[in-house]
DNA sequence: CAGAGACGCTTTTTT
DNA sequence: AGCGTCTCTG
């Protein structure tokens, strides 16, 4: 290990890692004098990782162990050591987290950090495919389909293939998209996925395979790329085109990957090939926090990393800086029951703190009222609203709470769930920009045409067929006759004004379309004023962009934070509570965390009962939620909840609490004011 | 053939 | 609540 202050980290390596002698860094890469005092800023484990030499490294970073800090310092250290920042590639889970890390690195090392390349796998794939994708038949102007677009295209292809006969129970487009996606992300044939996870649709396997081929062909033909394609195609590019592989690999000589436990096989392959010429790859993650198996992620990636990269040195970060001992005790107990993981032991120096509280409520509304009341209390005690969060398994779990919070005048922002960008009216407006940007985009054409008065599925198909044949599509549009003639003419005029008048900036395009679209919006939705405000918001976002192409792909790859409902409440004050799905809370922390719906059947959800793997994932998810809390942790569960899916009444707290001893938790039962139990005053909705 | 209204079904998590 | 399907009307 080069550059280490001592050699005492051998004991940190375990499992069957082989040893490998590391060469010293070449002399000119070794800084004569570093500008930062790393040893003073980091603990010894962090320091070891930050100053690691060349070659593959695996950093096992427990929850709250300063993982981000370590990555930030690693970036700074590399730059400090004289490495060209533009040769560093930082792959993260969200672009926001990459931006945050680079900003922090900038504070340490200065503006040089701005040249570091960073982003999500998907956004990096987007960038590389636009630049080098020609060799696998991709034009630089391709359009990115989000999940909803992908489903729409699947539906379109299905009807073209005549597979929508209503005789039998054919899976819905969302389910089909799920199957396809799982197949791509796990590199397994569709048949396997269907038989294993969707056995009740096995009868339709032939049709599904046909549909999958049709969907793939349609995407390629029209220069459309869905989320999975970004990874699949990048993988293909770096695996099949040796020239491109060498080019890209030599472009990024130092690769850092955050949240490695949530990568899938495609991403692991990409990393492996990108690092093929230099092996300078450092991955950071925590196997105990792997929560994305549903999209093909496998914590096995992190377990197998040392085997894939011979000579890997393993670093472990085990000191937790976030939580108090009582919270950590609970977290440790929960995760100890997990079956397969790297052994590590988290410890903290924050010994004192209140015990986590387990709260039983008579029903959902009692739970909501408890949360609202407690939040007000904590705020009185001086905990700022922005230091509190409510976490839940599924987005809809917070519906009742949202109403209750509004009633108490508490403002919040919701993360996860339906995004602003996914609402029908925003997609409608964007579809107009997209047909101009990519006239082959059948999904958007279909959407745009269906909005025209008098156009239905049949007419839309006919128009699209005519457009494909014509080399002047807008001209052809104007020639259309019949009931919908006038509407199509108006559409043609609008689109021409976008395409014709040179390079209109995104914000100007949004304006033009808005004018055309407003009457449609008004006839389609009774609640149009609310939706107009979303479109104003979109306008504001567009103002930040110079190019339509970047605007569109950014929206698809990194939708703005906050759900549809949250948007209207924006920028009143920054003193806001966070409501979040556990998935969206990854990497974040708060003084006080409430986790709601800790009831067996909701968390873990009934869907996960059947498979051990599913249950293990839910356990890790629970672990993630608990370890978000710094000081106060409330776990709440309603009882006497009817679950429609299973037909059961749920009343038992999550099974993940079974191994927790009574001394580790304070237990509360809620009573109505006046002393009576509150079970008859609940849930009027 | 488009569009509106009614009804039954099913509901995780996200780039 | 939202999607898909079915039915009815113009």
């Amino acid at each position: 290990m080069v550059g280490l202050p001592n050699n005492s980290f051998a004991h940190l390596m375990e499992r069957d890692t082989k040893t490998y002698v590391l060469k010293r860094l070449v002399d000119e890469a070794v800084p004569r004098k570093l500008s930062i005092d790393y040893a003073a800023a980091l603990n010894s484990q962090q320091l070891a990782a930050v100053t690691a030499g060349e070659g593959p490294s695996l950093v096992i970073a427990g929850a709250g162990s300063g993982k981000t800090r370590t990555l930030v310092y690693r970036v700074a250290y590399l730059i400090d050591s004289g490495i060209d920042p533009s040769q560093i590639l930082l792959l993260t889970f969200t672009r926001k987290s990459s931006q945050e890390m680079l900003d922090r690195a900038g504070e340490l090392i200065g503006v040089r950090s701005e040249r570091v390349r960073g982003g999500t796998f998907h956004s990096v794939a987007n960038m590389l495919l636009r630049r080098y994708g020609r060799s696998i038949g991709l034009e630089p102007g391709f359009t990115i389909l989000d999940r909803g677009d992908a489903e729409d295209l699947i539906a379109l292809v299905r009807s073209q293939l005549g597979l929508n006969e209503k005789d039998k129970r054919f899976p819905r487009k969302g389910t089909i998209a799920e199957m396809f996606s799982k197949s791509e992300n796990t590199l397994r044939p569709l048949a396997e996925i269907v038989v294993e996870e969707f056995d009740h649709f096995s009868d339709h396997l032939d049709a599904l395979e046909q549909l999958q081929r049709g969907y793939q062909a349609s995407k390629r033909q029209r220069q459309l790329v869905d989320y999975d394609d970004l990874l699949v195609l990048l993988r293909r590019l770096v695996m099949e085109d040796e020239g491109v592989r060498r080019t890209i690999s030599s472009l990024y000589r130092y690769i850092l990957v955050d949240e490695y436990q949530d990568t899938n096989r495609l991403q692991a392959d990409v990393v492996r090939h990108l690092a093929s010429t230099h092996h300078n790859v450092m991955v950071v993650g925590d196997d105990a926090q792997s929560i994305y198996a549903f999209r093909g992620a496998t914590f096995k990636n992190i377990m197998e990393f040392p085997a894939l990269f011979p000579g890997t040195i393993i670093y472990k970060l085990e000191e937790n800086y976030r939580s108090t001992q009582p919270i950590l005790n609970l977290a440790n107990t929960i995760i100890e029951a997990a079956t397969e993981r790297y052994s590590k032991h988290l410890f903290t120096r924050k010994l004192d703190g209140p015990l986590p509280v387990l709260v039983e409520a008579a029903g959902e509304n009692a739970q909501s009222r408890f949360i609202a009341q407690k939040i007000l209390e904590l705020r009185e005690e001086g905990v700022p609203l922005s230091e509190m969060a409510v976490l839940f398994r599924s987005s809809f779990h917070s519906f009742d709470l949202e109403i209750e919070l509004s009633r108490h005048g508490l403002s919040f922002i919701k993360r996860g769930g339906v995004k602003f960008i996914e609402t029908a009216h925003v997609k409608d407006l964007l579809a107009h920009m997209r047909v101009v940007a990519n006239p082959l985009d059948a999904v958007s054409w279909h959407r745009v045409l269906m909005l025209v008065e008098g156009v239905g599925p049949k007419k839309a198909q006919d128009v699209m067929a005519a457009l494909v044949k014509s080399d002047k599509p807008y001209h052809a549009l104007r020639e259309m006759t019949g009931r919908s003639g006038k509407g199509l003419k108006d559409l043609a005029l609008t689109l021409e004004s976008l395409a014709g008048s040179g390079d209109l900036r995104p914000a100007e395009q949004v304006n033009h379309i808005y004018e055309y679209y407003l009457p449609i919006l008004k006839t389609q939705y009774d609640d149009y004023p609310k939706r107009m405000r979303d479109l104003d918001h979109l306008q504001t976002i567009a103002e930040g962009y110079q190019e339509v192409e970047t605007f569109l792909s950014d929206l698809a790859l990194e939708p703005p934070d906050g759900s549809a409902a949250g948007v209207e409440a924006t920028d009143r004050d920054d003193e806001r509570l966070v409501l979040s799905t556990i998935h969206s809370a990854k990497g974040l922390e708060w003084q006080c965390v409430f986790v709601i719906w800790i009831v067996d059947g909701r968390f873990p959800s009934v869907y996960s009962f059947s498979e051990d793997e599913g249950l293990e994932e839910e356990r890790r998810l629970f672990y993630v939620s608990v370890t978000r809390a710094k000081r106060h942790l409330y776990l709440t569960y309603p009882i006497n909840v009817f679950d429609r899916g299973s037909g059961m009444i749920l009343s038992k707290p999550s099974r993940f609490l079974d191994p927790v001893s009574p001394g580790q938790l304070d237990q509360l039962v809620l009573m109505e004011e006046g002393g009576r139990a509150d079970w008859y005053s609940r849930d009027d909705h």
Side-chain angles (χ1 to χ4, degrees):
Chain A
M1 272 180 248
V2 178
L4 282 184
N6 61 56
N7 263 346
S8 63
F9 294 89
H11 68 280
L12 295 174
M13 297 169 54
E14 49 170 67
R15 306 185 71 84
D16 5 310
T17 331
K18 292 172 194 129
T19 50
Y20 177 87
V21 180
L22 284 181
K23 294 179 198 150
R24 288 206 144 266
L25 283 172
V26 259
D27 262 358
E28 47 273 35
V30 178
R32 302 278 178 278
K33 193 173 161 221
L34 296 172
S35 65
I36 297 167
D37 186 355
Y38 296 90
L42 303 163
N43 71 30
S44 61
Q45 295 175 318
Q46 293 170 338
L47 183 66
V50 163
T51 58
E54 306 223 325
S57 322
L58 168 61
V59 182
I60 300 293
S65 64
K67 181 185 59 129
T68 304
R69 183 178 183 79
T70 302
L71 272 171
V72 167
Y73 273 85
R74 174 66 175 173
V75 170
Y77 178 81
L78 288 174
I79 298 173
D80 216 356
S81 307
I83 284 151
D84 178 356
S86 67
Q87 294 198 326
I88 302 172
L89 178 64
L90 175 63
L91 290 162
T92 54
F93 207 72
T94 64
R95 203 179 37 188
K96 203 168 139 208
S97 74
S98 126
Q99 200 46 59
E100 198 182 303
M101 284 187 220
L102 294 183
D103 287 349
R104 282 173 57 181
E107 287 164 22
L108 289 176
I109 199 78
V111 291
R112 277 176 292 171
S113 72
E114 283 170 16
R115 288 166 49 225
V116 172
R117 306 293 142 162
T120 61
F121 274 92
H122 289 86
S123 66
V124 167
N126 174 49
M127 182 262 291
L128 291 174
L129 287 170
R130 286 191 201 277
R131 197 169 305 167
Y132 302 104
R134 277 231 162 80
S135 80
I136 53 169
L138 214 52
E139 296 296 320
F142 63 78
T143 300
I144 298 171
L145 303 179
D146 69 17
R147 180 56 177 266
D149 301 327
E151 290 178 7
D152 290 347
L153 184 58
I154 288 172
L156 225 53
V157 174
R158 182 179 61 189
S159 76
Q160 277 163 5
L161 293 175
L163 292 173
N164 58 336
E165 293 147 50
K166 52 232 164 172
D167 44 351
K168 281 178 257 167
R169 287 168 49 85
F170 201 73
R172 298 200 276 159
K173 60 182 181 182
T175 314
I176 301 172
E178 206 182 318
M179 295 173 184
F180 289 179
S181 183
K182 198 77 176 266
S183 158
E184 298 286 354
N185 279 299
T186 54
L187 291 168
R188 294 163 63 204
L190 184 64
E192 270 182 36
I193 304 291
V194 173
V195 169
E196 266 175 43
E197 294 178 45
F198 301 89
D199 196 39
H200 48 297
F201 292 128
S202 288
D203 290 352
H204 302 294
L205 188 54
D206 288 344
L208 286 168
E209 284 176 331
Q210 192 193 346
L211 182 51
Q212 190 186 34
R213 287 190 296 270
Y215 174 59
Q216 296 291 4
S218 180
K219 280 186 296 182
R220 285 306 80 82
Q221 188 190 334
R222 300 170 181 286
Q223 298 295 332
L224 301 173
V225 168
D226 66 20
Y227 287 144
D228 304 329
D229 288 331
L230 286 169
L231 301 179
V232 170
L233 294 174
L234 177 60
R235 176 176 175 272
R236 183 178 305 159
L237 184 65
V238 296
M239 284 176 80
E240 289 177 5
D241 188 326
E242 204 192 322
V244 171
R245 171 167 73 243
R246 289 186 170 280
T247 308
I248 299 177
S249 180
S250 61
L251 226 48
Y252 306 116
R253 302 203 45 84
Y254 294 83
I255 298 175
L256 305 169
V257 189
D258 192 16
E259 309 281 9
Y260 196 71
Q261 77 282 355
D262 284 319
T263 56
N264 60 31
R265 278 190 59 193
L266 299 176
Q267 291 162 318
D269 281 347
V270 166
V271 169
R272 189 159 52 94
H273 285 91
L274 287 185
S276 62
T277 63
H278 49 68
H279 304 293
N280 290 326
V281 50
M282 173 178 279
V283 305
V284 183
D286 178 3
D287 48 297
Q289 295 186 63
S290 172
I291 54 175
Y292 278 87
F294 66 90
R295 71 181 209 207
T298 165
F299 70 99
K300 293 201 169 88
N301 269 354
I302 203 167
M303 306 305 280
E304 289 165 2
F305 184 85
L308 205 59
F309 287 89
T312 293
I313 297 185
I314 300 177
Y315 305 90
K316 287 188 182 183
L317 311 184
E318 293 174 299
E319 175 164 3
N320 177 296
Y321 291 94
R322 180 184 295 152
S323 311
T324 59
Q325 194 64 54
I327 290 172
L328 223 47
N329 288 343
L330 179 67
N332 281 334
T333 306
I334 291 164
I335 204 63
E336 263 161 29
T339 45
E340 190 185 357
R341 59 199 192 94
Y342 278 99
S343 70
K344 62 178 168 304
H345 181 74
L346 288 184
F347 64 96
T348 178
R349 297 181 205 191
K350 299 181 186 171
L351 299 179
D352 294 332
L355 278 183
V357 186
L358 178 64
V359 183
E360 178 179 300
E364 176 169 20
N365 191 246
Q367 174 179 253
S368 302
R369 286 163 55 210
F370 167 75
I371 305 273
Q373 197 174 317
K374 201 74 198 172
I375 285 171
L376 288 170
E377 237 173 70
L378 285 160
R379 195 170 61 169
E380 286 298 304
E381 289 168 21
V383 183
L385 218 46
S386 54
E387 271 298 327
M388 296 188 243
V390 184
L391 308 182
F392 31 84
R393 175 71 184 86
S394 314
S395 185
F396 71 92
H397 287 169
S398 70
F399 288 170
D400 186 73
L401 177 64
E402 289 170 36
I403 295 167
E404 204 55 45
L405 290 173
S406 309
R407 209 175 273 167
H408 285 77
L410 287 163
S411 59
F412 58 86
I413 179 153
K414 186 170 174 185
R415 304 168 55 111
V418 178
K419 302 239 175 50
F420 149 80
I421 193 73
E422 287 160 0
T423 55
H425 47 293
V426 174
K427 298 210 82 164
D428 282 349
L429 197 145
L430 289 176
H432 292 82
M433 284 176 88
R434 289 170 39 156
V435 295
V436 175
N438 176 6
L440 290 172
D441 184 347
V443 183
S444 299
W445 269 119
H446 189 255
R447 186 165 201 117
V448 163
L449 290 169
M450 290 288 282
L451 289 170
V452 175
E453 175 95 50
V455 177
K458 181 70 171 68
K459 184 76 180 177
Q461 286 297 316
D462 292 349
V463 173
M464 271 159 58
L467 292 180
V468 172
K469 282 181 203 133
S470 156
D471 41 339
K472 278 253 156 213
Y474 310 121
H475 229 261
L477 250 194
R478 258 193 293 182
E479 310 288 278
M480 294 288 168
T481 52
R483 276 296 74 198
S484 50
K486 162 131 186 9
L488 291 175
K489 254 182 208 84
D490 287 348
L491 174 63
L493 282 175
T494 304
L495 297 181
E496 269 173 327
S497 80
L498 299 183
S501 46
D503 293 316
L504 274 190
R505 306 214 351 234
E508 295 166 318
Q509 292 212 6
V510 171
N511 260 339
H512 276 233
I513 300 165
Y514 187 87
E515 242 171 79
Y516 162 80
Y517 178 65
L518 193 57
I520 300 176
L521 182 83
K522 286 186 176 172
T523 55
Q524 295 248 313
Y525 307 102
D526 289 341
D527 59 347
Y528 66 87
K530 211 185 280 179
R531 294 175 190 259
M532 282 168 68
R533 291 164 69 180
D534 282 347
L535 297 179
D536 290 342
H537 185 61
L538 184 70
Q539 164 81 30
T540 314
I541 295 172
E543 272 160 15
Y545 286 88
Q546 299 297 318
E547 283 178 19
V548 173
E549 186 185 90
T550 17
F551 173 65
L552 291 175
S553 40
D554 272 16
L555 280 182
L557 290 171
E558 194 83 7
D561 241 8
S563 62
V567 169
E568 355 164 13
T570 345
D571 56 42
R572 260 210 305 275
D573 52 335
D574 45 355
E575 259 296 274
R576 285 161 65 210
L577 171 73
V578 168
L579 306 190
S580 174
T581 59
I582 298 167
H583 284 90
S584 298
K586 171 146 99 160
L588 304 176
E589 59 179 26
W590 295 270
Q591 280 294 330
C592 174
V593 168
F594 299 86
V595 190
I596 60 177
W597 283 108
I598 305 293
V599 62
D600 217 56
R602 282 291 168 89
F603 198 180
S605 97
V606 277
Y607 306 105
S608 66
F609 285 1
S610 50
E611 275 179 293
D612 281 355
E613 280 181 22
L615 212 53
E616 286 302 304
E617 171 124 333
E618 300 271 309
R619 185 196 313 283
R620 294 190 295 265
L621 199 53
F622 190 37
Y623 176 75
V624 168
S625 68
V626 166
T627 52
R628 298 308 95 198
K630 293 182 184 169
R631 186 170 179 84
H632 302 281
L633 175 64
Y634 293 88
L635 308 174
T636 69
Y637 66 98
I639 56 170
N640 300 323
V641 183
F642 180 67
D643 182 74
R644 260 177 295 181
S646 56
M648 288 164 49
I649 293 188
L650 310 176
S651 281
K652 179 188 166 302
S654 172
R655 64 186 64 190
F656 299 139
L657 291 173
D658 290 351
V660 175
S661 64
Q664 289 186 291
L665 286 169
D666 268 338
Q667 300 207 28
L668 282 186
V669 176
L670 303 182
M671 299 288 286
E672 286 294 335
E673 200 163 20
R676 52 205 175 90
D678 66 349
W679 45 264
Y680 35 55
S681 65
R682 40 156 256 134
D683 293 87
D684 39 328
H685 30 261

